[in-house]
DNA sequence: GACGCATTGTACCGTTTGGTACAGTCGGGT
DNA sequence: ACCCGACTGTACCAAACGGTACAATGCGTC
């Protein structure tokens, strides 16, 4: 059979959902198999490195999505404010208003952190870095921009944790709106 | 042998560290045994409910610590500002300036969330609630106080995630200082 | 139509998992 | 001195874990 399985993008998306839902340790090969409809044979064919390669690929996939849909726009020199604005929209949409969790953030808290330390550090480092650059271009001093960026990304991550913890539908959007305001963007428009 | 093992408080603290470091799934009974110096016999003697009871007891233990050392002071009617101030000091100290992770926050992101949903919701709900009350008593409007409280607790949780992710020693304290300022406390004093 | 190879299902492996059973061991109370 | 019960180590269990081996399968290509 040539390619009955979903293509790599769809496959990674399905695997990602399992890791997101169960964590690295909790996501068993059996679970991943059930979620993707693939047997061990296929799974280990696509990811000879096993579970660790799956998780690594999933992180890279997510990283790529943020690179293309968030960081790229933050890097765009012409209108930093638009890039930041778009970051909030993309973030709210990606995390489904807090109903979805940040897989990379979750991995950072688990034991799995050690396995993927460099990928995790890269992802968050670039997020904070690009946001800080955009804020600096928007008129903030370098130090203030850097601290604001840290504060904003932390607020987003914390809001995801909190939203999941208290199971409050509105909380993620509320924190997002506030963070939006903290970055000096007009508080009026809803995101 | 009567009570050669460490007393319950010390025992729970040791078990907590294992869960903190490895997550719920990652913390095996063998690991917990090694960390506490107790065999399975003793472990299951103290916690007949097994791993789930251990984790539940650990959460309750941590919850109790925050109740006594943070929430209590927030609830103190006479000087809300002092209570909030103390929350920041206690938080920075408890989380070892970001080198330690919030076990309850980590559990909220894992699959284990389902097992401990009510304890987790309680803990964060009370934190946000008491902080909001204190802020309201400090002069903020009810709605603003509630949103500020959510923002602050989210910032703390996110800073823990981020600090762990990027392995930056200064980041937790920086975010904490900023949050401190956001709550209308003097930005000058270092915490 | 036949060959080659990407893909697949299945059987199997050793290890580790959480948990149980139970016989011992000891210290405090009498 | 003795006994009760809190504590402990060890042996054991079935199930699940991640991973491997391999023969079958069928599509694309020539």
């Amino acid at each position: 059979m040539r390619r009955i399985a979903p293509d790599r993008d769809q496959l990674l998306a399905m695997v990602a959902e399992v890791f997101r839902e169960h964590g690295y340790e909790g996501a068993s090969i059996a679970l991943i198999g059930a979620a993707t409809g693939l047997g061990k044979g296929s799974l280990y064919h696509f990811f000879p490195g096993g579970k660790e390669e799956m998780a690594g690929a999933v992180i890279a996939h997510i990283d790529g999505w943020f690179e293309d849909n968030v960081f790229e726009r933050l890097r765009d020199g012409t209108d930093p404010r638009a890039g930041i604005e778009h970051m909030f929209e993309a973030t709210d949409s990606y995390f489904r208003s807090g109903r979805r969790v940040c897989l990379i953030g979750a991995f950072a808290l688990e034991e799995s952190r050690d396995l993927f330390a460099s990928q995790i550090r890269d992802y968050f480092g670039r997020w904070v870095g690009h946001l800080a650059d955009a804020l600096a271009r928007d008129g903030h001093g370098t130090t203030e921009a850097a601290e604001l960026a840290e504060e904003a990304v932390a607020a987003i991550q914390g809001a995801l944790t909190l939203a999941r913890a208290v199971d409050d539908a509105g909380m993620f959007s509320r924190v997002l709106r506030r963070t939006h305001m903290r970055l000096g963007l007009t508080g009026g428009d809803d995101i």
Side-chain angles (χ1 to χ4, degrees), chain A residues 87-98 172-173 176 191:
Chain A
M87 179 190 87
F88 280 100
E89 289 163 26
T91 300
D92 188 56
S93 148
Y94 181 84
F95 292 116
R96 309 272 154 78
S97 299
F172 184 71
S173 299
L176 222 53
I191 49 177

Side-chain angles (χ1 to χ4, degrees), chain A residues 24-45:
Chain A
Y24 182 71
E25 311 271 348
S28 67
I29 300 291
L31 231 38
I32 294 171
T36 57
L38 262 47
K40 284 188 173 192
S42 307
L43 247 20
Y44 277 88
H45 172 72

